[in-house]
Amino acid sequence: MKLAAVAVVAATAAVAQNIPSIAWGFASSAYQVEGAWNVDGKGPSVWDHWFLNNHSLVASKGAGNPIAAGDVFKTAGHYDRMKEDVALMASFKSSMYRFSVAWSRIFPQCNGQVNQKGIDFYSRLIDELLNAGIQPVLTMYHWDTPQACEDQYGSLLNRDMFIRDFTSYADVLYANFGSRVKYWLTFNEPAAYCGRGFGPVSDAYIWPPGKNGRESDKYNCIATTSIAHGAVVQLARSKYPQYEMKFSMPLIIAYYIPVAPADVEQANINTLSQGDWLWGSLASADGDYPAYLKTVKTGDMDGSLLPAFTAAEKATMKGTLDYVALNYYSAQYFNGVSGQSAPTLTIKADQVPWQSAYPGGIRGITQLMARSYGPLLASSVGGLAPVMVSECGYGSISEAFGPISQSVNDVDRQAFFEGITAGLQLAVVEDKTPVFGFLAWSLLDNLEWLTFDQTWGLVHVDQQGGTLERTVKQSANKLAAFFAGSKSPIALAQPGSKPANSTVSSSAPAATASGAAVTTANPTATGSPSKSSSSIATGYSVAVALFSAFALMLV
Ligand code: NOJ
C-alpha cells in the first residue's frame, strides 16, 4: 500500500503542469436545498406530503441530534438565496452547476396549468449562472414527484399516465430552457426511489410515497423510468433539434476494485451491472437489456426479475444516452475469483454508514465506463464514451453535531477530494479518459432526505441556529485551488435567449446510437482499469487532440 501511494504522488507531480480541462462545480437537488415548498404557486411534492403527514418520523430521530433544529420546509433556503449561492460558486471560479427542477413548481397539479412563477425562478437561476460563466446542468427529476401525480393515479406505477405527464413537463422545460441549457439529466438514481418508495423494504428504509409492496413494483418503476427517459429524449430531438440538448441519467455505481488479474472480469461485471439495467437499454442498438444481465444478481438488481419490454418500448429507448453520468461515492475490493487477500479499506469514524470512500477509484471507474460505453454511444470519440461525474462527495455524521469550527476544518472531506482530484488528473491526463465534467456533492449542507444528521456540503449552512448563514469549508477552497486554471471544454449559451417556438416540428426522432455491431455493454470486453493505460493512447498531444475533438462533439 505504501508503494502504491508513493507511485500516485510521483505521477501526480509529473502531470501537475497539465491541469485537466474539465468543467467543474457543484451538484444539488431542488428538494434538498430550496425550501419555499409552498411559495409562489408551488404544489406539494411527495416529500413535502411525507413530512406534512409523518413529521413525528423525523422528530423521533431527533433525540440527541440537531434534526429537530433543522427545518425540513426550509432546508438550505436556496430559493431565497439563489443569487448569493451563485455568487459563491463564481467566487470559486467553478464552471458547471447541476441543479434539479421541482416538477411541482412547474405543474403544481402534476399536469394541466403551468405555474409561470416556477418557470421564472429557474429562468433567473439559469441566467444568473450563465452571467457568472457557469454551465447549467438540469436534472428533470430528483425524486420529488408532485403529490398530485401520486393522488391522481399512483405516479410511477401507472406507466402510461406517468409518461404522458412527464413528457408534458419535459416539453415545458425544453421550450423555456432548451436554448440555454445544453446538458440534461432525466432521472436521478432510479434504484433509490423505486426501491425505497415502491419495493419491499424494512420500515427504516421507506421513502415516499411509501407504496412499498411487491418486488415487481420496484422493477416496474425502473422500467417506467427507462421508457420515460427514452420518450423525453425523443421529444427533445424531434421537436427541439436546434438546441442539440445532450441527455443522460445519473446512476450511483460502486466500484469493485479487482485484487488480482483473475478477478478483473467478475469485478467489472459487478461494477457495470449496477448501471446496465438502466443505461443498457438506452445505449444498446436494440433498446433491450444486455443479455448477460439476466443471470446477474448484485446489490439492488436481480437480473431474472427484469420485466420484458415491448418492441415499441425498445424503439423509444434505444440510442437515447448521449453521455455517461456517474455518481461516484464508494468502492470495495473484489477478490472473489482469485481468493487473494484484499487490502482493508479505511473507513473513517465520521463517514456515513453506507459510504465506503475510496477516492482513487475515480480513475478506474471512469475508465471502465468510458471503454464499456464507448462502442455504444454516437458521441464517443476514439472509442471512448464521454463521462460526467455528476456527483461525488463525502458525508460526515459528526459535523452535524459539532461546532462550526470542526465543520469548516473538514479534514476528512479535504483528504477525500485530494484523492479524487489526484485520481481525476491521472484519469484525464494519463489515461485520456474523456471526463468532461466533475460535480462535487454538494455545494451546501442540506437536507439528506429523511435526516439532517449527515452533512455533505463544501459550504456550511447554519441549520442548527436557523440563520442559514453560509460559511465556506476548507474543502471548497482546496477544490477550487486544484481546478484553478482548468479550462471548461464546453461553450456557454447566452443568458436570456428566447424560448422556442413551440410548434411541433416534423423532423423525425433522432438517430439511434452508433451503428457499431456491439449490442450490449459487454463487461468482459473491457480491460483492467487498474492496468497501465498505454493501450488507449500514447502521449499528451494525442490526449489534447482527442479531447478537443470530443469537446467539439459536445458543443
Ligand atoms: C445521491 C443523491 O442523488 C443525493 O440526493 C444524496 O444527497 C447523495 N447521494 C448523498 O447521499
Side-chain angles (χ1 to χ4, degrees):
M1 284 304 280
K2 264 195 182 150
L3 274 180
V6 171
V8 168
V9 172
T12 305
V15 295
Q17 304 309 314
N18 302 324
I19 306 294
S21 291
I22 296 180
W24 79 279
F26 302 87
S28 72
S29 86
Y31 169 71
Q32 291 178 275
V33 300
E34 284 179 3
W37 75 275
N38 59 353
V39 168
D40 289 342
K42 179 178 174 295
S45 72
V46 291
W47 281 90
D48 299 319
H49 181 83
W50 186 259
F51 284 120
L52 285 165
N53 290 281
N54 296 277
H55 200 74
S56 59
L57 185 69
V58 180
S60 70
K61 293 189 177 179
N65 78 31
I67 202 159
D71 183 336
V72 291
F73 298 112
K74 278 194 193 147
T75 65
H78 169 72
Y79 190 79
D80 295 324
R81 291 168 177 254
M82 180 270 282
K83 285 192 175 202
E84 178 187 345
D85 292 340
V86 175
L88 201 50
M89 291 188 272
S91 76
F92 300 131
K93 300 207 169 15
S94 60
S95 50
M96 189 178 247
Y97 176 56
R98 173 184 168 199
F99 63 95
S100 79
V101 172
W103 178 351
S104 67
R105 261 190 215 293
I106 308 298
F107 282 108
Q109 291 307 318
C110 178
N111 47 35
Q113 188 69 36
V114 173
N115 176 36
Q116 187 57 41
K117 286 190 172 165
I119 300 284
D120 293 345
F121 171 69
Y122 295 108
S123 195
R124 285 197 305 275
L125 167 61
I126 291 165
D127 276 355
E128 200 72 19
L129 291 167
L130 293 173
N131 279 322
I134 300 173
Q135 187 83 39
V137 177
L138 190 157
T139 311
M140 302 163 79
Y141 180 90
H142 202 121
W143 309 350
D144 47 354
T145 318
Q147 179 62 30
C149 306
E150 183 56 35
D151 293 343
Q152 287 167 29
Y153 52 79
S155 69
L156 281 133
L157 294 187
N158 188 327
R159 185 165 301 172
D160 291 347
M161 299 291 274
F162 183 85
I163 293 176
R164 182 199 69 177
D165 288 347
F166 191 72
T167 306
S168 305
Y169 162 60
D171 200 356
V172 170
L173 297 185
Y174 301 154
N176 285 280
F177 310 136
S179 61
R180 289 172 285 167
V181 177
K182 180 146 189 92
Y183 294 93
W184 294 72
L185 297 166
T186 53
F187 293 90
N188 183 67
E189 296 184 3
Y193 61 82
C194 289
R196 296 183 67 169
F198 299 94
V201 287
S202 59
D203 285 1
Y205 288 95
I206 292 180
W207 279 356
K211 288 292 170 63
N212 306 79
R214 296 169 304 174
E215 189 73 13
S216 58
D217 286 342
K218 165 176 143 186
Y219 286 88
N220 281 328
C221 170
I222 294 272
T224 297
T225 297
S226 297
I227 301 162
H229 166 103
V232 299
V233 176
Q234 301 285 5
L235 175 74
R237 290 172 175 176
S238 60
K239 190 167 175 184
Y240 303 94
Q242 70 276 26
Y243 296 151
E244 297 180 333
M245 295 175 270
K246 303 290 176 201
F247 288 86
S248 191
M249 173 191 279
L251 302 184
I252 187 168
I253 298 188
Y255 181 45
Y256 283 77
I257 316 153
V259 169
D263 297 314
V264 168
E265 185 176 329
Q266 187 59 44
N268 285 352
I269 289 176
N270 289 0
T271 302
L272 290 165
S273 59
Q274 298 166 68
D276 275 346
W277 60 320
L278 286 138
W279 288 337
S281 324
L282 313 177
S284 73
D286 64 0
D288 208 349
Y289 310 103
Y292 86 94
L293 267 190
K294 298 225 163 76
T295 54
V296 176
K297 207 173 168 179
T298 42
D300 292 323
M301 199 257 337
D302 179 345
S304 68
L305 299 178
L306 292 168
F309 292 122
T310 65
E313 289 166 346
K314 289 184 207 167
T316 301
M317 290 184 288
K318 69 179 181 181
T320 58
L321 198 70
D322 292 321
Y323 56 98
V324 170
L326 172 71
N327 293 353
Y328 178 65
Y329 287 93
S330 290
Q332 65 185 81
Y333 284 102
F334 178 81
N335 61 356
V337 176
S338 71
Q340 285 188 20
S341 70
T344 312
L345 269 186
T346 315
I347 306 294
K348 303 267 184 165
D350 69 336
Q351 247 174 264
V352 303
W354 62 263
Q355 181 174 28
S356 70
Y358 177 69
I362 192 107
R363 181 185 188 183
I365 195 169
T366 52
Q367 187 180 64
L368 181 61
M369 294 300 159
R371 286 181 176 185
S372 297
Y373 281 88
L376 301 172
L377 304 192
S379 54
S380 296
V381 172
L384 299 173
V387 178
M388 174 193 286
V389 179
S390 39
E391 282 184 32
C392 180
Y394 185 91
S396 165
I397 48 170
S398 53
E399 274 179 11
F401 301 88
I404 184 169
S405 55
Q406 181 197 342
S407 227
V408 167
N409 185 23
D410 54 347
V411 281
D412 290 336
R413 187 174 294 105
Q414 289 171 56
F416 176 79
F417 280 112
E418 266 164 27
I420 288 287
T421 49
L424 258 186
Q425 192 160 24
L426 292 168
V428 174
V429 178
E430 289 274 293
D431 302 345
K432 334 303 180 209
T433 300
V435 181
F436 69 97
F438 175 82
L439 295 158
W441 185 272
S442 184
L443 179 69
L444 305 170
D445 286 342
N446 53 52
L447 172 57
E448 178 62 17
W449 303 103
L450 287 182
T451 69
F452 275 116
D453 59 2
Q454 299 175 13
T455 51
W456 291 85
L458 282 79
V459 172
H460 175 269
V461 174
D462 176 30
Q463 288 168 324
Q464 294 188 55
T467 69
L468 304 184
E469 193 182 326
R470 276 78 166 132
T471 308
V472 174
K473 300 183 190 177
Q474 286 179 16
S475 54
N477 289 327
K478 287 221 167 138
L479 202 61
F482 171 80
F483 283 111
S486 172
K487 294 212 172 4
S488 166
I490 301 159
L492 275 181
Q494 290 303 307
S497 332
K498 290 259 179 307
N501 174 347
S502 59
T503 315
V504 178
S505 143
S506 58
S507 61
T512 59
S514 73
V518 185
T519 53
T520 64
N522 179 359
T524 57
T526 56
S528 161
S530 57
K531 278 192 212 152
S532 148
S533 57
S534 55
S535 59
I536 299 181
T538 51
Y540 186 65
S541 54
V542 176
V544 172
L546 254 183
F547 207 90
S548 314
F550 147 75
L552 281 176
M553 294 279 297
L554 290 165
V555 170

